[in-house]
Amino acid sequence: MLQPLNLPPYPFKISDDNGILTLFDEIRKKTIIITPEEWVRQHFVQYLIKQKNYPRSLIKLEGGLKLNTLQKRTDIVVFNPSGQRILMVECKAPSVTIDQKTFDQIARYNMVHKVSLLAVSNGLQHYYCTIDHEKCTYRFIEELPGYVKD
């Protein structure tokens, strides 16, 4: 049974293949296995598109990045029409407690991307933060801003 999340429900195309649940990922245009983290990622993407009006075409899932010598993957990155990253989202499984380690992870990734808006979610709790890279400051915000076209 798929865990209900603290995000709106969406009518995913879910299939059961001998006990392995899959769904069609609209962004990557392929069928993927539903892990607890993927369940959160898929819901958060739909939240971005349907509630916050982020264009589907500007969303990239599991993009690669090089951190020192290590190859890492960001869960969700949203771009503006000019190709600049405007939002980065780190997703965790609902069973994972969001703690300092989680924030440290997205902060490390952001050392590479330099995004000004960050989100962390385990599907049950969501945290949003704005970053001012020039002043080296950050501020947690209550709600994720909707998409604003440049």
Side-chain angles (χ1 to χ4, degrees), residues 102-136:
T102 311
F103 291 114
D104 291 347
Q105 179 184 4
I106 198 167
R108 279 192 306 275
Y109 292 176
N110 205 31
M111 290 167 52
V112 174
H113 289 317
K114 304 273 192 245
V115 179
S116 60
L117 182 58
L118 304 177
V120 175
S121 176
N122 65 3
L124 304 173
Q125 296 176 293
H126 322 290
Y127 297 93
Y128 312 113
C129 180
T130 59
I131 309 286
D132 184 327
H133 293 282
E134 287 181 15
K135 295 180 182 173
C136 296

Side-chain angles (χ1 to χ4, degrees), residues 11-121:
F12 295 111
K13 297 174 189 168
I14 297 175
S15 300
D16 186 338
D17 185 19
N18 293 324
I20 297 174
L21 295 179
T22 61
L23 64 73
F24 184 75
D25 180 329
E26 294 178 17
I27 303 296
R28 291 177 275 190
K29 303 287 188 219
K30 66 180 184 177
T31 300
I32 53 170
I33 295 172
I34 303 173
T35 63
E37 182 177 319
E38 190 62 48
W39 187 238
V40 172
R41 182 173 22 251
Q42 291 297 317
H43 274 81
F44 208 91
V45 165
Q46 293 303 314
Y47 172 72
L48 291 174
I49 294 167
K50 299 213 167 47
Q51 268 67 41
K52 296 298 179 176
N53 299 313
Y54 286 86
R56 178 180 283 113
S57 62
L58 298 179
I59 297 173
K60 181 170 173 74
L61 300 185
E62 292 201 314
L65 74 110
K66 198 163 195 132
L67 186 59
N68 298 321
T69 58
L70 302 174
Q71 192 64 34
K72 301 288 186 179
R73 291 199 173 278
T74 53
D75 285 318
I76 303 170
V77 176
V78 181
F79 297 84
N80 67 14
S82 304
Q84 297 168 305
R85 293 170 183 89
I86 58 171
L87 167 63
M88 185 166 52
V89 183
E90 179 61 30
C91 298
K92 297 293 182 190
S95 61
V96 175
T97 302
I98 296 176
D99 56 13
Q100 189 61 49
K101 186 175 160 186
T102 311
F103 291 114
D104 291 347
Q105 179 184 4
I106 198 167
R108 279 192 306 275
Y109 292 176
N110 205 31
M111 290 167 52
V112 174
H113 289 317
K114 304 273 192 245
V115 179
S116 60
L117 182 58
L118 304 177
V120 175
S121 176

